[in-house]
Amino acid sequence: MSATQNVVVSETTRSSIIPNNNSSSQKLPPGLISISKKKLLKNIDIINGGGQRINAWVDSMRASSPTHLKSLPSSISSQQQLNSWIMQHPSALEMFEQIMEASRGKQIVMFLDYDGTLSPIVDDPDKAFMSSKMRRTVKKLAKCFPTAIVTGRCIDKVYNFVKLAELYYAGSHGMDIKGPAKGFSRHKRVKQSLLYQPANDYLPMINEVYRQLLEKTKSTPGAKVENHKFCASVHFRCVDEKKWSELVLQVRSVLKEFPTLKLTQGRKVFEIRPMIEWDKGKALEFLLEALGFGSTNNVFPVYIGDDRTDEDAFKMLRDRGEGFGILVSKFPKDTDASYSLQDPSEASDGFLAKIGGMETNAAKNVKG
């Protein structure tokens, strides 16, 4: 374990959370989790695929628009489709009393995505500011329950937006985890500084990929490349659709030299991440373990997010059979979330404000 990894759970626990597959002969940075040859070859095929693969990526880019609806028979109207979807994923606001009843006697732990959940989706990711009202809501929430921000952004950048030292932060899609600043934690279960970075050895590789992507995409107007420390992203929200095929080729031409990095897609953004068995779901599981709730049924985790990368956390909660996920979306999407909210304002003015205002209930719930 790296000297920079100050972990509060045992190595036995870490092994159970992070699968270790030694079947691959692919050389990885030292100390990193190995990946199977099958996964590696599949990743190389995705990166190096021909024209057919490019067309599939462009189709997927179109589908990543927030206004995209799930494909259903054309005879079903959009409103019917929405009504059917809401029946399966009812409003967390309308179901608030039932949700609180399910949490009775358990410790609520809150996990919140940032972009599209605590802030609106904007054209310029550097301007995804959190409102003062939302900040007050989250601050109040953290007084009642352990609260974490789980985001694809690097911790430093998201902290500059949130500015709350009492929160847990899991940046880079959960690959950079830190606890509250010293003296700010209101919850006693974590006895020491919490820091975990499972992809630490990938830092030089991500920095080099970021540099090459900046150079390669500078000829595509509207493309924006970000370095999130343990991952990188290429935003195409402001790129003309006629240039999307060109952008796909540019990104893949860089990544073909880095077969241990994988290319995935979010809401009008490409994500470049290490091929390790780690995601937002694993980060959520790790934080619950660090808080002392790894093997107890006295916890009620709630995860609110809006993107494809949040599905790993939704699925983990569904598989765990404790707590639930809430998808922030105005449009039907395939999801493992149990409930839905329309937009960040419903999250802040509605659900989070209501749950954060329940100090009396929180006092009964808190076990630590």
Side-chain angles (χ1 to χ4, degrees), residues 107-110 139-148 166-168 180 183-192 290-291 293 362 365-368:
Q107 169 67 69
I108 294 174
V109 183
M110 297 297 303
K139 185 178 182 68
K140 190 173 184 180
L141 190 71
K143 290 180 180 179
C144 302
F145 317 108
T147 302
E166 58 265 47
L167 305 184
Y168 297 82
F184 280 87
S185 177
R186 298 173 179 272
H187 308 283
K188 307 301 182 183
R189 287 182 176 269
V190 177
K191 303 299 183 183
Q192 54 180 300
L291 285 163
F293 298 113
N365 284 345
V366 171
K367 303 297 182 182

Side-chain angles (χ1 to χ4, degrees), residues 5-198:
Q5 296 173 348
N6 185 6
V7 188
V8 297
V9 294
S10 69
E11 281 298 312
T12 302
T13 300
R14 181 173 177 271
S15 299
S16 67
I17 294 176
I18 313 173
N20 189 5
N21 185 341
N22 292 318
S23 63
S24 172
S25 59
Q26 172 71 18
K27 186 175 181 181
L28 290 175
L32 272 254
I33 307 153
S34 61
I35 55 177
S36 69
K37 185 177 181 181
K38 183 178 179 181
K39 283 187 178 180
L40 182 66
L41 292 175
K42 181 180 179 182
N43 189 53
I44 291 171
D45 177 59
I46 289 171
I47 293 171
N48 294 329
Q52 220 174 9
R53 180 75 72 177
I54 293 171
N55 292 336
W57 273 105
V58 172
D59 288 343
S60 181
M61 291 164 78
R62 292 193 185 100
S64 73
S65 167
T67 59
H68 177 69
L69 298 179
K70 290 196 303 181
S71 177
L72 286 179
S74 57
S75 60
I76 301 178
S77 71
S78 295
Q79 189 57 51
Q80 286 176 310
Q81 182 181 356
L82 180 60
N83 291 342
S84 174
W85 186 81
I86 290 176
M87 292 259 314
Q88 300 174 56
H89 310 283
S91 166
L93 276 175
E94 294 179 6
M95 300 295 290
F96 186 80
E97 296 304 324
Q98 291 92 324
I99 291 169
M100 289 299 98
E101 180 61 31
S103 73
R104 188 178 300 278
K106 298 182 179 182
Q107 169 67 69
I108 294 174
V109 183
M110 297 297 303
F111 299 91
L112 309 170
D113 181 31
Y114 184 76
D115 294 275
T117 300
L118 299 182
S119 75
I121 295 291
V122 294
D123 289 343
D124 185 349
D126 289 334
K127 295 181 179 179
F129 300 115
M130 184 184 195
S131 70
S132 297
K133 186 175 183 180
M134 177 66 91
R135 185 175 294 104
R136 289 194 298 270
T137 298
V138 175
K139 185 178 182 68
K140 190 173 184 180
L141 190 71
K143 290 180 180 179
C144 302
F145 317 108
T147 302
I149 305 294
V150 186
T151 175
R153 292 178 180 267
C154 69
I155 284 181
D156 289 345
K157 186 169 286 188
V158 79
Y159 183 82
N160 285 336
F161 283 135
V162 178
K163 296 182 173 67
L164 293 175
E166 58 265 47
L167 305 184
Y168 297 82
Y169 289 88
S172 302
H173 297 290
M175 290 180 285
D176 191 11
I177 299 175
K178 291 182 181 178
K182 187 175 181 180
F184 280 87
S185 177
R186 298 173 179 272
H187 308 283
K188 307 301 182 183
R189 287 182 176 269
V190 177
K191 303 299 183 183
Q192 54 180 300
S193 174
L194 175 64
L195 174 64
Y196 188 54
Q197 299 172 333

Side-chain angles (χ1 to χ4, degrees), residues 228-247:
H228 301 300
K229 191 172 181 177
F230 296 108
C231 56
S233 63
V234 181
H235 297 266
F236 56 88
R237 183 170 299 277
C238 297
V239 175
D240 190 309
E241 189 170 334
K242 296 176 182 177
K243 293 282 188 180
W244 285 1
S245 295
E246 178 183 314
L247 183 64

